[in-house]
């Protein structure tokens, strides 16, 4: 089975491991993630105020090239997924904007592509039971805390991605891989987004709220689908350990990395060594790598 | 019952506002006689002064007139207007009430209500019915569709009574109904039960100087604003400032003027002001589209059916600006009315140079209620509201058998609650009368009939 | 917790437009209408229950919480709002819109206010955010994709905080997270054309 | 040619503000058959009605058209007025030039005036062909069915029975008392709810005229005011039996339910044991409750030291839940917080609110005392999230004055969830053929002046089934409903409108098409004449049969095809 795939800028640079793990895991499951022939940055934040149309030009160009390659577009990063899905809805539902943007980028696109996240592909195309059967390693001793952040779930009317106050897709994914779910209350709180650029204290406190809560729920590691959340959660843990005595740093993996480990793939290309909080000790201790 | 005479299946209802009228109709339509006593020359009470009613914006006259006309025409309802109950003896089943009628100076048996005397009378005085927003003649009826539509002479205003001159009304009256020598009259009425429904009036804001009521002409109270909004009011529904008759472009509405103020005025909440103020602001915007309406409030109390949606509509469709905070001072500066308020969220003091201010004063029981309470031996709380037998499960009974209460006389309430309490009081009376008159047996229904 | 600017009961910052002895606000109801049109949000529906402020991830770091900003807009305090730090701290996570009982998105209002602030020349309280966003777009304009090294370097230069996090850049570079050479994509010419057309169009 | 009088009402400025009433009167004055066309400020007032009576006498009118507001408002008033002047009431018709003309064409006065003229002409045509009719007299069963055994049903039953009429009280659960039986003390004086209820239960048990059927529901209600037939379903320990009884009136007092916790995702969606709703907390406070009046955390049975009360959980929330206010939560929360403080003196209670709605007598003082004497901490701001962590329930609220978010670690959180209609209320409404609003609360005939009557004659409403309200209001409404029943039963027999369907036997071919067309089951075949027959009592004059009848045998009194065609000609005639 072949699905057009949109990696996104960061998955080509900082989060190369996320991308490679995704491609190889899906290949192992018989799904070819075919990278779009030409794609550009998705814009990273959906333009909140309705008037500026330029921000939609970027994401729609990707949708146009996806339309040429199939009726679905799989996305790995939850932020790209949010922006592409909402831009797609604009092209599908808001006629005046559709005309302006089509004129602007000289295309004729009406939102016919279905934008899906890799987790949805696992759930709908592969199915959790088939996935469970494909798992090679025993993750039963591993407690994983799912982290959704904002982009998957909100705004609920447009994203329509799981129950926005009590999501379960990451939980089901973790259980399908055979691991335990560490339930903690801050799965959907904000990681700080770009505030680190000018207010480090705030960002650190925001990530600390999430990390400390995951630890309290005795999680061995956190799994997420967004490179920016991964960065904000992973980057400041040394400083937080100093600032908050007793806080034990906790590794933050991408969902595709955990998937690749569970499928028993060779982990070297997945940049596990490049995480600030090294995940390898706990994975080794659980006999997974 | 005192003597062995059969109890009287006739009820005395004191107060002919919507509560008294509703109770009277329920009882009269069930075949029993009603004596309906009202202080004013005609019936309708406060509701008659209203422009439109929340939450449906029905025009008050349109929904009240059928009731007043039905009560006025009902063969089993004896209307005694311009009258007061001055004494009561006996007890349940056998009350004797003394009703004193003030001199109307017009022979109502002859008068046809043609209105010529009102047209010709030269003397104009400020109209209490219009809350000082308009004038009325010395000889007057409360409104064009008054029931009964017969005038009375205000002896403090009529130049014949004050300075011995004029008598014009006597000259123009085609049926010679004017009778300056008419004296007060008293009648005795035998009844089996009593319903007290004397309603409310508004707290005098003169002693709340900070709102400028009484000093600043363009500061009026809620009922006065109702008269300005009313199609049959002094300004035919157009919003006009009392000082210069201009149309105000900025109007500030102030809630809880005298309510919820344990130290300075009444500690209790008057319940309906949040709703009628939202209505005032909406109706103002319907008439002055480019006007701005501010409402200073502490809590918005819109708890009844469709009330919250009404408050929602005021903000959404009519762009009424709600500012949460108390007003500290209202004073006049040039031809503007300056309001010093505050806003809780921003914690800032807020100043608005408005053209007009409308206050929502506390509701207090009618001054006569305390006299009635002593007369009937019913307890009243320290603010003069009559106390029902039990707050929760006996809301319309009183400690005195055969005497019931309904409407704002027990506490401030809106029209639906008043109407429900009026019918509830009627149900209690009907139950008494049915037992006394044995009506069900007469209709072939044996008591204790197997109800299966 | 990050230091919070507490709002004293007697409001301190007076709006320059209407200085009054007692820090009093003058209400200008027209500002509400302008912001409603720009943001397509019914701000007038708000009854200030503050559910948005309660759930906003960055509210405690803001000088005015989201509901507070809506109230200042309602009361017409334009300078106050366009100078505030809050509008730049909003990350667009849409939690406020998700939970608002009246369906108002404070995020959309903040976005509209950001645009208004830029268009009317108000210096953003958080200048560096603007610089970051601009660099982001420049990187796309040049390469069609985000190239972190050039973006961060330019951001450092323009935002003036050269030295904090310098080690951040270096270590990321060493770990190969940031490729030295930017990836050039074929559609670059198309993208630059879009920017030019936009520059002419909306300015 | 029938002599017809036309009276045009100004209705203050409601009509005259848009329609040029003088010009309308002139235009109608010379319309064929019209011998008088005049206007007056308020036709419904005393002078207005005497104008009609006087004109009927002076001009010997044989038909009257009143151009005013909707017939629903004053048709009976004007028909009574013309009857008092000796004219058959069914010779008087209303032309609605307010709701159908002036109120909807406020911007275009000229068009409104033209439309008013045309409108009046059509009604003049109707009156021209109207026959004089006599109302129908129907029998009246003086027995009442009260649905719902809560405080409302009990009070209505007591008031009706104490006036001598038999009552059947039907309750679907196995006990009387409804929600009041579940309460501990009631505001404002903390009286025990059980004692209040006791007096009502005793009154019901001791009155021979009240027959109570527990575990019973109304399966079906047929008939009409004065002659309802109810089919009751009794489920006694497993097996179901049915019974049928005749009633003259029905009082619906089916109470309410609470919005389930599962609906509140941001408040834990019912997954956390220490986040409960107010009724569960009330059971805890009640001496006969599961904890014997002790306040315990459901999770670990400990005494909660910090309790957070969350107001407006699902009320005043048009986007996700209910747009309306549930009216009683501010008061019961103040009571619950005060009771909590009395029983846990070193406990701290927080109430997160938007507006405090304490409007009854002594209510404001009651809440003030909760704040001062019981020092409950009231914080103005709505809670955004509730979650459990380390055995604590964390509440994310906010405070208006500082405009800042506030976090409280609580041992127990009580949600004041929105009041909803009882389960099955909408289905019951369909079975009783009465209207409900979009939420399922039963609709009253008029929100201001007829709060306890439904739009279906003979069926009355009481209590929270109509809208959220507290005990004193519920009891007052129940007695008010009783008053309406007693007024109904005070008449010897019922009078019904004669403007219903009839069958022209020469034209009826007995095809039977009209029988299934009738929504009120008011038609059947004559046993041997092989013609359709109308149940005069059941027919509501809706005209469905007229449409179904292939050979025009079925007609409506005073709205025959002749009437309709004449009216259409008038309407479409060139002005």
């Amino acid at each position: 089975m072949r699905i057009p795939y949109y990696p996104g800028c960061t998955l080509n640079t900082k989060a190369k491991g996320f991308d490679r793990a995704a491609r190889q895991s899906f290949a192992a499951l018989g799904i070819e993630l075919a990278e779009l022939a030409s794609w550009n940055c998705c814009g990273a934040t959906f333009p909140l105020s309705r008037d500026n149309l330029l921000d939609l030009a970027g994401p729609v160009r990707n949708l146009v090239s996806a339309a040429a390659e199939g009726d679905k577009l799989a996305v790995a990063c939850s932020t790209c997924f949010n922006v592409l899905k909402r831009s797609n809805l604009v092209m599908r539902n808001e006629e005046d904007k559709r005309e302006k943007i089509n004129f602007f980028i000289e295309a004729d696109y009406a939102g016919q592509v279905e934008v899906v996240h890799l987790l949805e592909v696992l759930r709908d195309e592969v199915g959790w039971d088939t996935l469970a059967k494909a798992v090679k390693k025993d993750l039963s001793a591993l407690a994983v805390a799912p982290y959704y952040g904002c982009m998957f779930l909100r705004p609920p009317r447009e994203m329509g991605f799981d129950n926005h106050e009590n999501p379960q897709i990451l939980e089901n994914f973790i259980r399908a891989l055979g691991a335990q779910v560490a339930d903690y209350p801050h799965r959907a709180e904000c990681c700080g987004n770009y505030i680190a650029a000018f207010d480090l204290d705030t960002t650190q406190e925001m990530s600390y709220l999430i990390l400390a809560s995951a630890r309290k729920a005795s999680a061995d590691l956190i799994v997420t689908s967004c490179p920016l959340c991964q960065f904000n959660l992973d980057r400041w843990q040394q400083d937080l350990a100093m600032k908050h005595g007793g806080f034990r740093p906790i590794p933050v993996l991408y969902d595709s990395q955990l998937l690749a480990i569970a499928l028993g793939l060779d982990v070297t290309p997945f940049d596990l060594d490049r995480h600030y909080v090294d995940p390898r000790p706990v994975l080794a201790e659980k006999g997974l790598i | 019952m005192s003597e062995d005479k059969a109890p009287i299946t006739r009820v005395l209802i004191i107060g002919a506002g919507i509560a008294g009228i509703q109770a009277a109709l329920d009882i009269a339509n069930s075949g029993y006689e009603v004596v309906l006593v009202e202080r004013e020359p005609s019936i309708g009470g406060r509701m008659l002064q209203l422009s439109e009613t929340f939450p449906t914006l029905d025009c008050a006259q349109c929904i009240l007139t059928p009731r007043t006309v039905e009560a006025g025409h009902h063969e089993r309802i004896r209307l005694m207007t311009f009258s007061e109950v001055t004494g009561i003896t006996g007890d349940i089943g056998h009350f004797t009430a003394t009703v004193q009628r003030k001199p109307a100076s017009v022979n109502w048996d002859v008068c046809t209500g043609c209105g010529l005397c009102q047209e010709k009378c030269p003397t104009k005085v400020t109209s209490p019915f219009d809350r000082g927003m308009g004038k009325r003649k010395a000889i007057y009826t409360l409104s064009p569709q008054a029931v009964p539509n017969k005038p009375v002479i205000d002896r403090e205003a009529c130049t014949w009574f004050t300075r011995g001159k004029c008598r014009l009304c006597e000259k123009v009256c085609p049926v010679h109904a004017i009778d300056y020598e008419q004296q007060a009259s008293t009648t005795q009425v035998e009844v089996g039960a009593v319903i007290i429904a004397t309603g409310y009036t508004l707290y005098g804001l003169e002693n709340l100087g900070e709102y400028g009521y009484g000093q600043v002409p363009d500061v009026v109270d809620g009922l006065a604003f109702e008269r300005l909004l009313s199609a049959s009011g002094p300004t035919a529904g157009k919003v006009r400032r009392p000082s210069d008759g201009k149309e105000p472009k900025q109007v500030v509405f102030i809630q809880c003027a005298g309510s919820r103020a344990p130290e300075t005025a009444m500690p209790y909440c008057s319940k309906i002001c949040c709703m009628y103020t939202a209505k005032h602001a909406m109706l103002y915007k319907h008439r002055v589209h480019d006007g701005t309406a501010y409402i200073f409030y502490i809590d918005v109390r819109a708890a009844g059916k469709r009330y919250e949606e009404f408050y929602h509509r005021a903000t959404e469709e009519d762009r009424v600006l709600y500012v949460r905070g108390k007003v500290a001072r209202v004073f006049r500066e040039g031809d503007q009315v300056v309001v010093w308020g505050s806003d809780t969220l921003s914690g800032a003091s807020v100043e608005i140079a408005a053209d007009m201010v409308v206050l929502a004063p506390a509701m207090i029981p009618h001054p006569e209620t305390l006299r009635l309470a002593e007369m009937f031996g019913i307890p009243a709380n320290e603010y003069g509201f009559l106390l029902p037998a039990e707050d929760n499960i006996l809301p319309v009974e009183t400690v005195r058998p055969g005497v019931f209460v309904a409407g704002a006389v027990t506490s401030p309430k809106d029209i639906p609650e008043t109407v429900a309490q009026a019918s509830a009081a009627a149900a209690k009376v009907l139950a008494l009368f049915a037992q006394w008159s044995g009506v069900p047996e007469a209709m072939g229904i044996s008591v204790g009939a197997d109800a299966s | 917790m990050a230091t919070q600017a507490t709002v004293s009961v007697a409001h301190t910052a007076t709006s320059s437009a209407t200085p009054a002895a007692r820090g009093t606000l003058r209400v200008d109801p027209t500002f509400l209408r302008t912001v409603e049109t720009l943001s397509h949000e019914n701000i007038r529906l708000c009854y200030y229950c503050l559910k948005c402020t309660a759930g906003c991830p960055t509210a405690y770091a803001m000088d005015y919480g989201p509901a507070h900003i809506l109230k200042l807009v309602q009361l017409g305090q334009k300078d106050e709002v366009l100078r505030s730090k809050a509008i730049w701290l909003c990350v667009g996570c849409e939690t406020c819109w998700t939970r608002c009982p009246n369906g108002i998105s404070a995020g959309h209002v903040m976005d509209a206010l950001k645009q208004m602030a830029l268009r009317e020349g108000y210096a953003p309280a958080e200048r560096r955010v603007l610089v970051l966003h601009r660099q982001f777009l420049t990187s796309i304009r040049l390469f069609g994709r985000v190239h972190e090294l050039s973006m961060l370097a330019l951001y450092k230069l323009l935002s003036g905080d050269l030295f904090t996090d310098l080690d951040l850049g270096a270590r990321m570079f060493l770990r190969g997270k940031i490729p030295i050479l930017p990836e050039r994509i074929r559609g670059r010419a198309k993208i630059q054309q879009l920017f030019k057309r936009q520059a002419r169009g909306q300015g | 040619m029938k002599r017809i009088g036309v009276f045009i009402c100004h209705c203050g400025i409601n009509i005259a503000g848009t329609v040029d009433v003088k010009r309308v009167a002139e235009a109608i004055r010379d319309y064929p058959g019209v011998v008088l066309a005049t206007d007056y400020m308020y036709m419904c007032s005393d002078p207005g009605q005497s104008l009609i009576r006087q004109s009927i006498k002076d001009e010997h009118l044989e038909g009257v058209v009143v151009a005013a507001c909707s017939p629903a408002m004053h048709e009976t008033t004007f028909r009574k007025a013309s009857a008092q002047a000796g004219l058959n009431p069914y010779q008087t018709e209303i032309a609605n030039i307010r709701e159908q003309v002036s109120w909807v064409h406020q911007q275009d006065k000229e068009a409104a005036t033209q439309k008013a003229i045309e409108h009046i002409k059509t009604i003049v045509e109707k009156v021209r062909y109207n026959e004089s009719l006599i109302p129908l007299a129907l029998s009246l069963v003086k027995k009442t069915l009260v649905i719902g055994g809560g405080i409302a049903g009990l009070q209505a039953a007591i008031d009706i029975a104490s006036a001598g009429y038999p009552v059947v009280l039907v309750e679907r659960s196995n006990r009387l008392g409804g929600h009041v039986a579940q309460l501990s003390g009631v505001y404002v004086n903390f009286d025990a709810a059980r004692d209040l209820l006791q007096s009502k239960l005793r009154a019901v048990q001791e009155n021979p005229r009240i027959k109570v059927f527990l575990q019973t529901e109304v399966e079906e209600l047929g008939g009409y005011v004065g002659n309802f037939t109810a089919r009751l379903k009794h489920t006694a320990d497993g097996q179901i039996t049915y019974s049928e009884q005749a009633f003259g009136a029905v009082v619906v007092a089916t109470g309410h339910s609470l919005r389930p916790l599962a609906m509140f995702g941001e408040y834990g969606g019912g997954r956390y044991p220490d986040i409960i709703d107010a009724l569960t907390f009330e059971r805890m406070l009640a001496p006969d409750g599961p904890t014997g009046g002790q306040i315990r955390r459901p999770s670990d049975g400990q005494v909660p030291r910090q309790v957070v009360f969350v107001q407006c959980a699902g009320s005043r929330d048009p986007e996700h839940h209910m747009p309306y206010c549930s009216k009683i939560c501010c008061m019961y929360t103040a009571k619950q917080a005060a009771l909590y403080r009395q029983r846990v003196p070193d406990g701290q209670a927080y109430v997160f609110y938007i507006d405090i709605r304490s409007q009854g007598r002594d209510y404001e003082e009651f809440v003030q005392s909760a704040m001062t004497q019981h020092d409950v901490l009231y914080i103005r701001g709505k809670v955004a999230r509730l979650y459990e962590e380390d055995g604590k329930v964390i509440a994310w609220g906010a405070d208006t004055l500082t405009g800042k978010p506030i976090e409280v670690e609580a041992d127990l959180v009580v949600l004041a969830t929105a009041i909803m209609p009882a389960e099955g209320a909408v289905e019951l409404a369909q079975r009783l053929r009465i209207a409900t609003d979009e939420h399922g609360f039963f609709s009253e005939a008029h929100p201001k002046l007829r709060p306890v009557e439904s739009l279906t004659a003979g069926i009355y409403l009481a209590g929270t089934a109509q809208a959220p309200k507290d005990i004193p209001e519920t009891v007052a409404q129940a007695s008010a409903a009783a008053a309406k029943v007693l007024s109904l039963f005070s008449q010897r027999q019922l009078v019904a409108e004669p403007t219903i369907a009839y069958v022209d036997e020469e034209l009826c071919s007995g095809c039977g098409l009209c029988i299934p067309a009738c929504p009120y089951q008011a038609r059947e075949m004559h046993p041997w004449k092989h013609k359709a027959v109308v149940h005069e009592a059941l027919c509501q004059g809706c005209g469905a049969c007229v449409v179904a009848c292939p050979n025009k045998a079925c007609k409506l009194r005073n709205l025959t095809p002749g009437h309709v065609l004449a009216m259409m000609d008038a309407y479409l005639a060139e002005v």
Side-chain angles (χ1 to χ4, degrees), chain B residues 1 5-13 23-24 26-36 74-78 91-96 189-195 402 404 426 428-441, chain D residues 163 490:
Chain B
M1 328 271 173
K5 253 192 323 79
I8 304 154
T9 57
R10 178 185 306 115
V11 67
L12 166 68
I13 298 180
D26 280 337
I27 294 169
N29 287 337
S30 302
Y32 298 103
E33 282 180 12
V34 176
V35 176
L36 184 55
H74 207 289
E75 62 272 16
R76 279 188 293 279
I77 297 179
R78 177 181 174 194
D91 49 42
I92 183 168
H94 303 276
F95 288 107
T96 306
V189 177
E190 305 289 330
V191 292
V194 181
I195 298 179
F404 303 96
K428 306 299 174 184
V429 170
L430 289 175
L432 287 178
F433 287 1
Q435 282 150 27
W436 295 341
S437 62
V439 157
E441 286 75 11
Chain D
S490 64

Side-chain angles (χ1 to χ4, degrees), chain A residues 52 54, chain C residues 115 118-119 195-203:
Chain A
N52 45 18
L54 172 67
Chain C
Q115 279 185 28
L118 292 180
R119 192 175 303 132
F195 277 88
K196 281 197 210 70
R197 194 181 293 169
Q198 192 273 343
R200 278 201 311 283
Q202 281 165 335

Side-chain angles (χ1 to χ4, degrees), chain D residues 299-498:
Chain D
S299 61
D300 57 10
Q302 299 297 327
V303 175
R305 290 283 169 254
Q306 303 246 71
V307 177
V308 165
F309 293 87
V310 177
Q311 298 306 93
C312 299
S315 302
R316 301 186 64 188
D317 190 338
E319 280 302 311
H320 313 85
H321 301 288
M322 294 298 137
Y324 54 80
C325 159
S326 296
K327 192 160 193 176
I328 62 175
C329 336
C330 282
M331 287 308 295
Y332 71 57
T333 295
K335 177 204 76 179
Q336 289 183 338
L339 283 176
Y340 164 70
R341 288 281 301 126
Q342 280 165 9
R343 299 198 189 153
V344 183
D346 60 351
Q348 175 58 54
Y350 303 83
V351 176
F352 281 95
Y353 72 95
I354 310 172
D355 292 288
I356 303 176
R357 294 179 169 183
S358 44
Q359 297 168 279
R361 184 154 46 68
D362 299 337
Y363 282 25
E364 176 69 16
E365 294 90 330
F366 180 77
V367 173
Q368 297 304 332
S369 81
M371 295 176 183
T372 47
Q373 283 143 30
H374 303 289
D375 49 59
V376 172
L377 182 57
Y378 272 75
I379 304 172
R380 188 184 185 287
K382 191 156 187 181
V383 169
R385 261 200 83 198
L386 291 172
Y387 56 90
E388 266 191 15
E389 195 168 55
D390 309 337
K392 287 275 186 190
V393 183
I394 314 297
W396 283 9
D399 164 60
T400 307
L401 193 57
T402 59
K404 289 291 175 202
I406 289 197
E407 192 173 305
V408 173
E409 280 182 15
D411 303 312
L412 180 68
V413 171
V414 181
L415 300 183
T417 46
I419 285 188
M420 315 273 289
E423 288 109 26
V426 176
E427 293 76 27
L428 177 65
Q430 274 143 13
R431 290 202 299 274
L432 305 181
R433 282 201 295 279
I434 55 177
T436 66
D437 67 9
E438 68 270 35
H439 310 301
F441 289 110
F442 295 113
S443 301
E444 64 285 355
H446 188 276
K448 296 298 266 194
L449 295 183
R450 299 173 67 198
V452 294
E453 296 158 271
S454 78
L455 287 165
T456 314
I459 300 185
Y460 307 98
L461 311 173
T464 49
Q466 183 255 348
K469 55 176 65 69
D470 57 18
I471 296 175
E473 265 186 79
T474 294
V475 167
Q477 272 205 342
S479 300
K484 300 301 172 189
V485 171
L486 298 183
S487 300
L488 177 70
F489 284 1
S490 64
Q491 304 157 53
R492 279 214 177 287
Q493 51 183 180
L494 268 183
V495 165
E497 284 296 317

Side-chain angles (χ1 to χ4, degrees), chain D residues 68-78 93-96 99-100:
Chain D
C69 54
S70 147
M73 292 288 286
H74 286 310
E75 184 174 64
T76 22
T77 318
F78 294 122
E93 295 282 358
I94 306 287
N96 183 351
E99 281 85 347
Q100 287 176 3

Side-chain angles (χ1 to χ4, degrees), chain D residues 20-83:
Chain D
D20 180 344
V21 282
K22 295 286 181 224
R23 222 158 83 216
V24 171
E26 270 148 42
I28 292 293
R29 199 153 284 140
D30 45 38
Y31 188 75
V34 175
V35 296
L36 163 78
T38 174
D39 62 284
Y40 181 70
M41 182 77 157
Y42 289 99
M43 279 309 297
C44 58
S45 67
D46 240 354
Q49 290 182 43
S50 0
L51 176 63
I52 296 177
R53 282 192 287 273
Q54 208 45 51
S55 312
I56 290 174
K57 294 197 183 82
D58 303 348
E59 303 286 337
H60 313 297
L61 296 181
E62 296 155 321
V64 163
V65 172
V66 183
C69 54
S70 147
M73 292 288 286
H74 286 310
E75 184 174 64
T76 22
T77 318
F78 294 122
R79 283 189 167 166
K80 227 186 241 163
S82 52

Side-chain angles (χ1 to χ4, degrees), chain B residues 62-258:
Chain B
C62 300
I63 57 176
L64 179 62
T65 311
R67 300 296 170 95
T68 50
V69 167
E70 189 183 355
H73 280 282
H74 207 289
E75 62 272 16
R76 279 188 293 279
I77 297 179
R78 177 181 174 194
L79 270 195
M80 301 180 76
T81 57
F82 216 41
S83 307
E84 285 174 325
V85 175
T86 51
I88 192 85
T89 57
D91 49 42
I92 183 168
H94 303 276
F95 288 107
T96 306
T98 316
V99 180
Q100 186 180 25
R101 185 174 192 275
K102 291 173 272 185
S105 322
V106 177
N107 178 350
W108 276 15
D109 305 335
V110 173
C111 166
T112 63
C114 70
L116 261 176
C117 54
Q118 294 178 63
E119 235 172 76
K120 295 289 183 274
C121 171
T123 321
K124 278 194 172 178
V125 287
T126 49
S127 151
F129 180 80
D130 284 339
R131 306 288 294 178
M133 292 296 113
K135 294 247 186 281
R136 63 137 163 89
K137 298 296 186 64
I139 184 165
Y140 66 96
T141 56
L142 287 185
S143 76
Q145 65 275 76
V147 170
N149 191 22
K150 311 267 166 107
V152 296
I153 294 182
D154 173 355
R155 290 192 172 182
E156 277 127 24
C158 169
T159 45
W160 168 254
F161 286 95
T162 51
R163 293 206 298 282
K165 288 215 277 1
C166 181
R167 292 178 80 104
L168 188 58
C169 50
E170 184 184 45
K171 293 187 189 68
V172 298
C173 176
V175 289
H176 313 299
I178 306 297
D179 169 8
Y180 300 110
E181 278 67 35
Q182 192 179 70
Q183 295 308 318
S185 60
T186 44
T187 34
Q188 303 287 336
V189 177
E190 305 289 330
V191 292
V194 181
I195 298 179
I196 302 176
T198 43
Y200 72 93
T201 187
L202 291 183
Y203 179 76
L205 289 168
E206 300 76 35
N207 31 34
L208 276 182
E210 66 263 39
Y211 294 127
Y213 184 78
Q215 299 110 22
V216 182
D218 293 327
V219 174
V220 299
D221 71 16
L223 263 180
F225 200 64
E226 287 285 348
R227 296 311 301 149
L228 295 178
L229 291 171
S230 175
S232 55
T235 61
K238 296 187 186 52
V239 184
R240 291 281 173 274
R241 291 190 340 163
S243 62
D244 54 13
K246 283 214 202 84
E247 184 180 74
K249 287 297 181 206
Q250 305 247 10
V251 178
V252 170
F253 296 87
I254 299 175
Q255 304 277 199
C256 305

